[in-house]
Amino acid sequence: MARVLAISERTVDDVSRSSYIASMNEKRARAKASNASFWVFEHISEENRFVEFFEGDSESNVRELISTSASVSLWRALEEV
């Protein structure tokens, strides 16, 4: 089964941080409902700099989950290497 990963990086200001963090539960729930996964990481030394990952079983599955306002890179898993 092919797997697709969407990666987006964003920086939020201090005022927006709380609402951004709160939105993570909604993104995680949307991913789970679509049989996909969602992860978010914050940069260790640059507070408010985040990278988000959506991972699903097809490009269309992942495209339905990603924000069109963010700059997103799509990657596909190599099945055999």
Side-chain angles (χ1 to χ4, degrees):
M1 174 188 299
R3 303 301 294 172
V4 174
L5 179 70
I7 304 170
S8 63
E9 186 175 334
R10 66 185 71 225
T11 302
V12 298
D13 58 34
D14 289 334
V15 173
S16 303
R17 181 182 174 86
S18 294
S19 60
Y20 174 76
I21 298 296
S23 74
M24 297 303 101
N25 288 331
E26 187 269 333
K27 289 181 179 186
R28 204 168 276 115
R30 281 188 313 134
K32 186 176 181 179
S34 294
N35 199 31
S37 298
F38 173 76
W39 302 277
V40 62
F41 294 83
E42 183 173 19
H43 196 279
I44 287 177
S45 61
E46 295 180 44
E47 189 172 274
N48 296 335
R49 181 177 172 196
F50 301 92
V51 64
E52 299 178 7
F53 301 89
F54 279 105
E55 187 257 344
D57 60 4
S58 68
E59 182 178 346
S60 61
N61 174 243
V62 171
R63 284 195 184 277
E64 289 175 8
L65 296 168
I66 59 177
S67 168
T68 56
S69 62
S71 176
V72 178
S73 295
L74 291 179
W75 300 74
R76 71 175 161 260
L78 297 177
E79 298 298 318
E80 295 182 28
V81 289

